[in-house]
Amino acid sequence: MNRSLFDLARKMTLEKASREFRDFRQAHAYTAARRLMDETFADFPDIDHSFVREFQSAGFSARVLELALFAALREQGKELDRTSPAPDFVMVGDDPVAIEATTTNPPQGETAEDVDLAAAVRRSIPNDLEAAEAEFVFQIGKALRRKLEHRDAQGRAYWEKPHVEGVPFVLAVQSFHDPSALFLTTGPLATYLYGIRDVPSRDSDGSLVLNSQVVTEHRRKDKTIPSGLFAQPEAEHLAAVIFTNSATVSKFSRMGTERGYGPQDVAIARCGVMYDPDPNAALPVPFGYVVGDYGPGEHETFSEGFHVLHNPWTRTPVAAGALDGFTEHHLQPDGRLLTTIRHPDYFVSRTMIIQGDKALLTARLRVQQYLTSDAGRR
């Protein structure tokens, strides 16, 4: 049955829809994103019938993550059992995996009503990167522990439910506690999960050398939390963490525009930095493009931007190949992370949606300006 996410939302009578949802539903510039979300939601089993209500209220960002994760698993050909509301997704078949999605959220007292989508984009780069990373680790840690400690009405953890017992349990997480949180990538998260960070240096030949440094705690102002979540007793049933900073309205806008779902007077420019395959590279590579300005066969996928960080100490590990549609990270005996990249790995990007008669020309100019700027030249 074809279902329109936005038609269903209009039929619901909420006293107060979030500002995020109202801005997104009404803006001409987000036409492509809405059409692609409708297309994705048409096949999305809403088991507990809460998705539409939460999508237009305080759970907007969390539901966008859930929809993008569903689309990513589906494009990889995964068979999903959605007969139970929790965990969110259970992959079935030879290599089953149970996945529960969660997000970090604005401080208590702030709601999605306070979030302006355009302003959030403008504030995408933290003013104090060190403080932002510390906050990121604390918020991610809180979100993950909240799920690990959760018990249902029968006192069962996610991995203890009858349909999940014996299946590797994975948490998927994205950060929305601050507009600048999406700027942060897997680096601080990997340090928190494994309790190890890479320290770069150069040898006498100028080659890049990475050494592992043990991290025992993370500090934010006068508070500390222990590092190495994966090695702690409460995480023994956590097989992996899936992380992304790109399961957003912007992804749906870009992919919807690629498919021709957007109006003619809207163009999208995307600029940022991506993985450099050079083993001696200490910095990522700048990139920029206008959505649609590339050859046949070149297109963005839902799976791009999702990272799987595997827990080497879990009781029930994810089988090899079960999540290989995503970028994967495995801790090696020497303390280094082995990263397997199967898609373009855009660490950080900014999506600029431009509207008007000269939208495409303006978008191309924005990309050119970025690539020739100090940021684009590094």
Side-chain angles (χ1 to χ4, degrees):
M1 179 179 67
N2 292 328
R3 301 175 301 164
S4 167
L5 178 56
F6 296 92
D7 285 346
L8 290 172
R10 280 192 288 269
K11 292 177 182 177
M12 297 188 69
T13 55
L14 285 183
E15 291 183 4
K16 189 177 183 183
S18 71
R19 180 172 180 175
E20 282 178 298
F21 174 76
R22 294 198 312 269
D23 288 352
F24 179 62
R25 181 179 61 183
Q26 297 167 2
H28 177 70
Y30 292 124
T31 300
R34 290 194 297 270
R35 287 191 60 188
L36 183 54
M37 283 187 182
D38 262 348
E39 182 178 278
T40 305
F41 183 73
D43 298 323
F44 181 87
D46 185 12
I47 301 303
D48 58 3
H49 307 291
S50 65
F51 188 96
V52 177
R53 172 176 51 80
E54 294 174 357
F55 178 72
Q56 59 185 317
S57 56
F60 178 81
S61 295
R63 301 289 78 77
V64 173
L65 166 61
E66 195 174 336
L67 203 61
L69 180 56
F70 166 76
L73 294 171
R74 188 179 60 171
E75 77 180 4
Q76 293 176 31
K78 308 299 185 185
E79 183 181 352
L80 302 176
D81 176 5
R82 289 275 291 170
T83 58
S84 176
D88 292 315
F89 305 103
V90 179
M91 290 167 40
V92 298
D94 294 337
D95 299 315
V97 178
I99 304 172
E100 174 71 10
T102 188
T103 59
T104 70
N105 303 306
Q108 190 172 6
E110 294 184 21
T111 67
E113 176 68 19
D114 303 312
V115 178
D116 181 316
L117 288 176
V121 171
R122 291 194 297 270
R123 300 197 304 273
S124 60
I125 300 177
N127 294 324
D128 185 334
L129 184 58
E130 185 176 349
E133 286 189 352
E135 184 67 22
F136 172 81
V137 168
F138 268 70
Q139 294 293 338
I140 287 275
K142 181 170 67 174
L144 296 178
R145 290 193 303 271
R146 183 172 63 241
K147 289 294 184 179
L148 292 175
E149 295 168 0
H150 173 80
R151 299 296 183 269
D152 64 14
Q154 288 74 42
R156 299 173 302 195
Y158 288 106
W159 54 87
E160 294 172 332
K161 294 177 182 291
H163 66 295
V164 178
E165 196 169 358
V167 174
F169 175 67
V170 173
L171 286 173
V173 65
Q174 182 158 310
S175 294
F176 294 102
H177 56 272
D178 184 88
S180 67
L182 293 173
F183 180 83
L184 300 169
T185 62
T186 54
L189 174 60
T191 299
Y192 169 65
L193 294 177
Y194 296 108
I196 295 173
R197 72 160 57 96
D198 286 337
V199 179
S201 61
R202 297 282 180 179
D203 63 16
S204 58
D205 296 326
S207 297
L208 180 68
V209 178
L210 293 175
N211 294 301
S212 297
Q213 179 185 72
V214 174
V215 178
T216 59
E217 66 179 22
H218 297 271
R219 180 176 297 275
R220 181 191 62 179
K221 298 180 181 178
D222 59 343
K223 296 182 179 180
T224 61
I225 57 172
S227 192
L229 174 66
F230 276 158
Q232 295 173 24
E234 60 266 34
E236 64 180 348
H237 297 286
L238 179 60
V241 168
I242 296 175
F243 170 79
T244 184
N245 62 359
S246 64
T248 60
V249 165
S250 293
K251 175 178 271 290
F252 280 91
S253 290
R254 295 191 304 266
M255 293 184 64
T257 298
E258 279 186 347
R259 300 179 188 199
Y261 294 169
Q264 292 297 313
D265 62 343
V266 173
I268 298 180
R270 187 186 189 192
C271 300
V273 292
M274 63 184 294
Y275 171 76
D276 189 339
D278 182 348
N280 284 319
L283 296 172
V285 178
F287 76 90
Y289 65 85
V290 173
V291 173
D293 274 6
Y294 28 75
E298 297 180 7
H299 61 275
E300 184 173 355
T301 68
F302 280 107
S303 298
E304 290 173 21
F306 280 98
H307 294 249
V308 183
L309 296 96
H310 291 271
N311 182 358
W313 301 287
T314 184
R315 285 190 178 189
T316 312
V318 173
L323 293 172
D324 63 0
F326 301 138
T327 295
E328 294 188 272
H329 307 265
H330 289 89
L331 186 66
Q332 302 301 291
D334 62 359
R336 296 283 310 285
L337 276 184
L338 174 64
T339 299
T340 305
I341 297 175
R342 296 177 175 84
H343 303 282
D345 193 0
Y346 298 117
F347 288 154
V348 178
S349 70
R350 179 179 178 184
T351 299
M352 293 168 279
I353 302 178
I354 301 158
Q355 183 176 336
D357 293 339
K358 298 181 179 180
L360 186 58
L361 178 63
T362 303
R364 289 169 177 162
L365 180 61
R366 295 282 181 86
V367 169
Q368 183 181 17
Q369 289 172 337
Y370 170 76
L371 293 176
T372 57
S373 68
D374 289 340
R377 295 193 305 267
R378 294 195 294 187

